[in-house]
Amino acid sequence: GLYLTRVPGIPRLDFRVEAPSTTPMGIDQGGQFIYFNGQYHSGNTNYGYLLGNSVGRDGRALEGWAGYHLSARDKIELGYRQLKVSPEFLPGCATQSDGTIKASVAIADELNIGAMFQYERFWVPLLGGPRRNVSGWLQLTWEAKWKIPL
């Protein structure tokens, strides 16, 4: 990955891009190599959650985020991710794409409001045509500035 804390010429913008892959560079072994264990079938999980990258077995992804700092406490962030699973692992392959926008703004000295909106499209031919969903959240954060005497 690459992370620029300040994009040259735009001092308030940071940029990050990553390209994780669990597909070997040589021969694609169809998911029988990385994150695979023949003896312990849950060997690379912790209570069902994959240990390692979210790209999973025999997949590649491209992820990027750009954040613009309006002030020390206010930020807007845009993100994009595309994940592809090899047809050697999953017949017909699979593709997942999503775009995200997040914002966090201080509305008072001790109060922040944040919001996120995400659009996702995924296509697994074995499960039918493309599917889409939208999600979001709204968050109110109170940061108390209490002083505890010692």
Side-chain angles (χ1 to χ4, degrees), residues 44-99:
N44 295 312
T45 64
N46 180 17
Y47 297 105
Y49 294 99
L50 181 66
L51 296 173
N53 196 287
S54 61
V55 75
R57 284 173 42 187
D58 210 9
R60 290 188 175 160
L62 180 62
E63 307 166 326
W65 302 269
Y68 189 78
H69 299 265
L70 302 167
S71 69
R73 294 179 60 197
D74 303 339
K75 180 179 179 179
I76 296 174
E77 183 178 273
L78 298 173
Y80 178 77
R81 177 177 69 130
Q82 186 172 64
L83 172 105
K84 291 194 175 275
V85 175
S86 170
E88 296 293 322
F89 177 60
L90 188 63
C93 69
T95 304
Q96 177 186 13
S97 305
D98 62 64

Side-chain angles (χ1 to χ4, degrees), residues 20-138:
S21 175
T22 55
T23 303
M25 293 299 262
I27 299 171
D28 188 351
Q29 298 178 23
Q32 305 296 313
F33 184 62
I34 299 174
Y35 294 132
F36 179 78
N37 187 322
Q39 184 173 358
Y40 301 104
H41 296 288
S42 62
N44 295 312
T45 64
N46 180 17
Y47 297 105
Y49 294 99
L50 181 66
L51 296 173
N53 196 287
S54 61
V55 75
R57 284 173 42 187
D58 210 9
R60 290 188 175 160
L62 180 62
E63 307 166 326
W65 302 269
Y68 189 78
H69 299 265
L70 302 167
S71 69
R73 294 179 60 197
D74 303 339
K75 180 179 179 179
I76 296 174
E77 183 178 273
L78 298 173
Y80 178 77
R81 177 177 69 130
Q82 186 172 64
L83 172 105
K84 291 194 175 275
V85 175
S86 170
E88 296 293 322
F89 177 60
L90 188 63
C93 69
T95 304
Q96 177 186 13
S97 305
D98 62 64
T100 305
I101 183 166
K102 293 181 192 176
S104 177
V105 178
I107 57 175
D109 192 34
E110 299 177 353
L111 202 56
N112 287 354
I113 189 165
M116 185 276 295
F117 176 79
Q118 176 178 316
Y119 173 80
E120 179 181 34
R121 179 185 181 269
F122 54 98
W123 185 18
V124 181
L126 288 175
L127 300 177
R131 309 267 171 95
R132 295 166 180 81
N133 65 46
V134 175
S135 63
W137 51 256
L138 185 62

